[in-house]
Amino acid sequence: MALNDISLQIHPGEICCFLGTSGSGKSTLLNIMAGLEKPTKGTIAIRGKQIEKMSEKEITRFRQKNIGFIFQSYNLLPALTALENVSLPLTFRGIPKKIREQMALEMLEAVGLKKHVAHKPSQMSGGQQQRVGIARAFVSKPPIIFADEPTGNLDSKTTEEIMSLMLRMAREYEQTLILVTHDRSIAEFADRIVYILDGNIEKVEEKSLIKAEEQE
């Protein structure tokens, strides 16, 4: 899906949701924002850096330091335990094994998986696997978290638990959380909803303004 004349600023600490149907361009937008794809024109600036001008090596290093990812399909390595999956991003940052395992353990406890640290993905439910994915994204406390349909494979009860968990952690660590979803109920968790249609921003809703209007 081609993107057309997209112009948007996301503020530090904001929880922003891109909402649109399948094929609307929202996942393409997320991939470009995260440096996974390069735009044919235009600028993507993150923390003062124009990432579209970076080499693959530079953008990989930039993502390791600044960005965490949460995926719909969990993207856990099946041969690794929960502890090993969560500590993986710390390995790339050169953190010693003892320290990264302690950090991963603390994060797994924070997402309610203290008893599952030695379990592999096949031994866990979908909700538990997504909690591991969240712990992995947050473990290095990157300033920005991208979440692509993070609850797409979960039931409604687990969805609410996972969304509440992500929001609590993002607020606690003062991180920017950028969500992509087709589900309006997920979008309701955000501070701002950006509607994407046919590669364009159709409209933007500031949730704080909506709530103020509802109270009047």
Side-chain angles (χ1 to χ4, degrees), residues 66-128:
N66 294 282
I67 296 173
F69 291 95
I70 301 169
F71 304 94
Q72 177 180 351
S73 55
Y74 320 135
N75 280 26
L76 303 179
L77 295 179
L80 301 185
T81 64
L83 186 69
E84 291 166 338
N85 267 290
V86 174
S87 64
L88 200 57
L90 303 174
T91 304
F92 298 133
R93 297 181 69 172
I95 295 174
K97 184 178 179 181
K98 187 174 181 180
I99 296 174
R100 66 177 184 254
E101 286 187 348
Q102 182 59 37
M103 292 172 68
L105 180 60
E106 290 173 0
M107 191 57 65
L108 284 166
E109 288 181 12
V111 300
L113 291 179
K114 184 178 181 180
K115 296 180 180 179
H116 298 271
V117 294
H119 289 186
K120 293 182 178 178
S122 61
Q123 298 171 302
M124 294 182 283
S125 68
Q128 289 167 341

Side-chain angles (χ1 to χ4, degrees), residues 109-179:
E109 288 181 12
V111 300
L113 291 179
K114 184 178 181 180
K115 296 180 180 179
H116 298 271
V117 294
H119 289 186
K120 293 182 178 178
S122 61
Q123 298 171 302
M124 294 182 283
S125 68
Q128 289 167 341
Q129 290 183 65
Q130 192 58 299
R131 285 173 181 267
V132 174
I134 291 169
R136 179 184 57 191
F138 281 90
V139 69
S140 58
K141 297 183 175 59
I144 302 166
I145 301 285
F146 287 102
D148 191 0
E149 299 281 7
T151 60
N153 291 330
L154 306 176
D155 61 59
S156 58
K157 182 177 182 296
T158 308
T159 289
E160 189 164 343
E161 291 173 356
I162 292 297
M163 288 303 303
S164 297
L165 175 62
M166 283 196 298
L167 263 65
R168 176 176 62 78
M169 295 182 75
R171 299 289 193 206
E172 181 179 346
Y173 302 132
E174 299 180 340
Q175 291 159 302
T176 305
L177 177 59
I178 300 170
L179 301 161

Side-chain angles (χ1 to χ4, degrees), residues 188 209-216:
E188 290 297 331
L209 295 177
I210 295 170
K211 289 176 182 177
E213 289 172 358
E214 288 174 349
Q215 290 171 357
E216 289 179 356

